Every structure is written in structure tokens, then in C-alpha cells.
Amino acid sequence: MASLVIFELKKMLGRRVTQVSLGVLFALSLLFMGLNVVQQAAVNPAGDPSMLSGTAAIAQQRADAEQCAGPITDEAVAAVVGEFQTFLDEEGEVKAPYDDPATPEGEQFRAWYHTHYQYLNLVLGPWMQGYETPDVVAVRVNTAEPLDVYGQAAAKLAATLADPDGRLTYTPTEQAFWLIRYDEVPKPVEYGYAGGWDDVLDCLGFLLFAMMAVVLACAPVFTGEYQQRTDAVVLATRCGKTKLPWAKVVAAVLLATAAYGLFALAIVGVPLVFFGADGGALPVQIRSLTGAWGLTVTQAVAVGVGLGYAALLALLAVTLLLSARLRSSMAIFAIGIAVLVAPLLVPSIQNNVANHLLYLLPYFALDASTLLGPVSYAAGPLVLDYHATLFTVYAAAFLICAPLAARTFAHHQVA
């Protein structure tokens, strides 16, 4: 069996389509990850008013986050919002002379605002509606009375769950499920710098390149035998209907695993090299205080990469099944790419059933806002969160389609 697997691996790696797809798509991944670093932007809060870019911007982002680091308590939020309000009038407009960057007061406000901008967006998030900016929201927050930041965040989450016009609608059981999850999140949230891990979460979608490469490399696994008319020969050998089909499946899994590991190393490694691996133990709530997942940013990255691998295996199994049934590698590749890029072609819809189905696709599994959002699947009193649902669906797809692919090829009727 081992010799058959090695032989099939050599065949797959020897195909020009495998070499080109892996090489080109990996190069594209490195290119986009490099551009992700180069295109980073930040405002220099002191001195030259021009924008910082690249590694200089990353250094400024780190400095801003470290200056605001610490537990996000009601008192800390009241203090920073109260300080912000001293620069604003009742309409949320910047007071004179703070609105003139040429004055010392204007320079003071500019330096303070750009240093605290990300922090303000986070701590004022529970009061924000839609795409409001911190200055509009800050004037509505009464810092003269004790704040309840996490109570406000829970109320915003509850309103989202109860909204009948949202992208998803939630049963009462699901609403209770997520509110209990939110209550279990450790508080107060610790704020700090986790730029590398945060950027990885935003870049998980580039793992789709690995899936495209695997579909291209594995589409001809069985189809190639039909196209070259070698199926009559290999199926007539001693192991042709028993070990060979499974050797092809195992070889495809090994190739897919190695390719995914290489792509994941680049997509996780490049941000950690340039942004740093600091803050891995910080909670995912540094992205949104309404988040109901009790994960650190490192754990969230691990879940995202793991779900990507599970999605890859599911897609691989479907590809192998199609390869065992069809005679056109291009048709198989077209189907695989359609599965990967379909969400980009479908306009935003407010249909609960359609969105629950779309969220099972790899694109959404690798999207940080969906991955860490309150997405669940309910059947009566049973509620499965998004991560458990995806692992279950992808595992079922692999365990069903991979054996079916081997069996289909073994029972193929030679022309």
C-alpha cells in the first residue's frame, strides 16, 4: 500500500498542472501578504502630519495600543470618554481652537485623538449604531453617572439577536444560548497590542488559494486514468479494484495536507514576523466588546486554520468523487472554484435559510467577522455554534465522499 501511495504522489507532483498551480498560487499568497504589510497605514500623532506606512505604521500601531493597554473597566472607559468630551461640543464637533492643527491646542488634540482612535472605537462600540464614528457617539455617553460598559454590550448583542430584519434570525433558544455565552466571557477585557494575531484573522481568507491549488492538483486523480485510457489496465491489475483507489485517496490527502501547511505557514507567519507575536493571550473581545466567544486571539487563529483544513478536506473529497465520476478535469475545477468564490458573486441578502447555507461555504468559514460572530444552527432545543457545525459538516462530507470516490472508481465500467 505504501509503495502505491508513493507512486501516486509522484504522479500527482509530476503533472505540470500541479507544479504550476502550487507555484503560482503560493507566489500570489506571498505577494498579497507582502502587500498587506506594505499597505499598512497610521497617522503620526506628533510632528509630520503625513501618513506613516509599512513597518513605520506597524510600529505606530503598536505604540498606540500599548499606551492604551490595560483592563477595560467602567472607570477606564468613563475616564477616556470624559477626556474625549473635553475636546467636543454638544454636537460632537471639535471645539475651537482644537480644530485648528496649526495651534498648540490643535496639535494636542490631533496627537491624543490618533493615539486613542482604535481604543475609542472599541470601548464606544456598545453604544454605536451602524457606522457611527467615536465623536458622534461620545457626546451621547453620560460620564457623570456610573457606566455599565458590558451591560451596554450585552444589550446591543441582545438587540442584534432579536432583530427580525437581520441577515440571520434567531430562535428564543439561540438567543438565550448566545447571551449565556456572553455572560461566560471573562471580564473586564484586557486591552493591549496583538497586531500580528489580529492581522492573521483578517487574512485567513487567503487560505482559499491553497484550496484552489488542491482542486487543480487533484481533479485529474481519477479522471486522468479515463482520459489517458489507462483505466482498463490499472483496474485489471491485482490491486486495481482494492488498494489502488484508496492509494489515490491517501496520496491526495497527503498532498493537500502538505500544500495547506505550506500556505498556512506563509499566511500566519508573515504577519507574525512583521507585526510581532505579542498579545497572543489577549481575548478576541479586543476586536469587539459584543463578541460572545471565550477565545484568545491565538486560539481564534488556531480555530480558523483548523476550520480551513477541515474545509479543504471536505472540498478535496468532493473533488475526488467528481473525478471518479466525470471525464473532464476542467469541469471539476470549475465546480470547485464556483464553491470557493460563489459568496463573492451573491449579493447581500436578508434571507435566514439562504445565509445559513452560504455560511457553510469555506469563504465564510475563513471570514473573521463570521467566524467570531453569533452564528448558530438550531433544531428544536438543540443549538450548535458555528465552529461545531462547520467541523461536523466538513467531517461528514469527507467521510462520505472520500469512500464513495474510491468505490466509484473501483466499480467503473471500462469502455
Side-chain angles (χ1 to χ4, degrees), residues 250-392:
V250 172
V253 170
L254 291 176
L255 176 63
T257 300
Y260 185 81
L262 184 64
F263 279 76
L265 182 63
I267 289 164
V268 175
V270 171
L272 295 185
V273 167
F274 286 94
F275 290 81
D278 314 46
L282 293 174
V284 293
Q285 281 69 34
I286 63 171
R287 295 175 62 92
S288 171
L289 291 182
T290 58
W293 292 94
L295 299 170
T296 66
V297 286
T298 304
Q299 290 170 339
V301 167
V303 169
V305 173
L307 279 171
Y309 180 61
L312 173 79
L313 292 181
L315 184 61
L316 171 65
V318 173
T319 299
L320 292 176
L321 180 57
L322 292 173
S323 181
R325 297 184 65 88
L326 303 179
R327 294 179 178 272
S328 171
S329 297
M330 288 305 298
I332 299 167
F333 176 63
I335 294 171
I337 295 302
V339 170
L340 293 174
V341 304
L344 296 173
L345 307 176
V346 177
S348 178
I349 54 178
Q350 304 297 110
N351 184 283
N352 181 56
V353 175
N355 284 323
H356 271 98
L357 293 174
L358 283 173
Y359 285 176
L360 296 177
L361 297 177
Y363 175 88
F364 286 106
L366 297 173
D367 177 70
S369 61
T370 311
L371 183 70
L372 299 175
V375 181
S376 53
Y377 292 76
L382 176 64
V383 177
L384 280 181
D385 66 39
Y386 191 46
H387 302 168
T389 302
L390 289 180
F391 275 120
T392 301

Side-chain angles (χ1 to χ4, degrees), residues 16-340:
R16 184 58 59 88
V17 66
T18 301
Q19 298 166 1
V20 171
S21 62
L22 287 173
V24 170
L25 289 170
F26 184 68
L28 281 175
S29 297
L30 290 177
L31 174 64
F32 283 121
M33 296 311 297
L35 290 174
N36 170 58
V37 173
V38 172
Q39 293 177 348
Q40 289 297 312
V43 175
N44 186 355
D48 185 357
S50 63
M51 294 289 291
L52 301 172
S53 61
T55 54
I58 293 172
Q60 185 60 54
Q61 293 166 9
R62 176 192 291 272
D64 294 345
E66 289 176 346
Q67 185 166 333
C68 300
I72 302 177
T73 61
D74 294 338
E75 295 75 18
V77 174
V80 73
V81 174
E83 188 175 2
F84 188 28
Q85 289 172 340
T86 63
F87 299 108
L88 306 174
D89 61 22
E90 294 181 354
E91 302 298 324
E93 300 292 334
V94 180
K95 299 176 183 175
Y98 298 117
D99 62 343
D100 185 356
T103 65
E105 293 85 357
E107 289 184 3
Q108 174 195 356
F109 171 70
R110 178 180 180 279
W112 187 92
Y113 180 73
H114 290 299
T115 298
H116 291 79
Y117 180 75
Q118 292 297 332
Y119 185 74
L120 287 168
N121 265 297
L122 177 66
V123 300
L124 289 172
W127 286 272
M128 288 181 177
Q129 299 173 8
Y131 297 98
E132 289 183 319
T133 55
D135 49 340
V136 173
V137 180
V139 294
R140 296 205 307 261
V141 179
N142 185 3
T143 55
E145 298 180 356
L147 298 183
D148 183 7
V149 177
Y150 298 103
Q152 180 68 28
K156 183 176 181 179
L157 175 61
T160 299
L161 297 172
D163 183 7
D165 299 319
R167 288 179 62 99
L168 299 177
T169 55
Y170 301 83
T171 66
T173 305
E174 285 180 286
Q175 294 180 37
F177 173 86
W178 285 113
L179 292 175
I180 291 172
R181 277 284 187 93
Y182 182 79
D183 288 340
E184 293 172 348
V185 171
K187 303 177 186 67
V189 169
E190 185 73 20
Y191 183 77
Y193 178 76
W197 300 104
D198 193 45
D199 193 69
V200 172
L201 286 170
D202 289 330
C203 293
L204 285 175
F206 289 119
L207 287 170
L208 291 176
F209 283 133
M211 299 182 190
M212 292 179 188
V214 167
V215 171
L216 268 170
C218 297
V221 166
F222 295 114
T223 300
E225 305 290 358
Y226 306 151
Q227 293 173 339
Q228 297 167 14
R229 299 186 182 279
T230 54
D231 50 338
V233 177
V234 297
L235 288 173
T237 61
R238 182 168 59 90
C239 299
K241 292 182 177 291
T242 54
K243 294 181 180 180
L244 181 60
W246 280 106
K248 288 179 175 291
V249 171
V250 172
V253 170
L254 291 176
L255 176 63
T257 300
Y260 185 81
L262 184 64
F263 279 76
L265 182 63
I267 289 164
V268 175
V270 171
L272 295 185
V273 167
F274 286 94
F275 290 81
D278 314 46
L282 293 174
V284 293
Q285 281 69 34
I286 63 171
R287 295 175 62 92
S288 171
L289 291 182
T290 58
W293 292 94
L295 299 170
T296 66
V297 286
T298 304
Q299 290 170 339
V301 167
V303 169
V305 173
L307 279 171
Y309 180 61
L312 173 79
L313 292 181
L315 184 61
L316 171 65
V318 173
T319 299
L320 292 176
L321 180 57
L322 292 173
S323 181
R325 297 184 65 88
L326 303 179
R327 294 179 178 272
S328 171
S329 297
M330 288 305 298
I332 299 167
F333 176 63
I335 294 171
I337 295 302
V339 170
L340 293 174

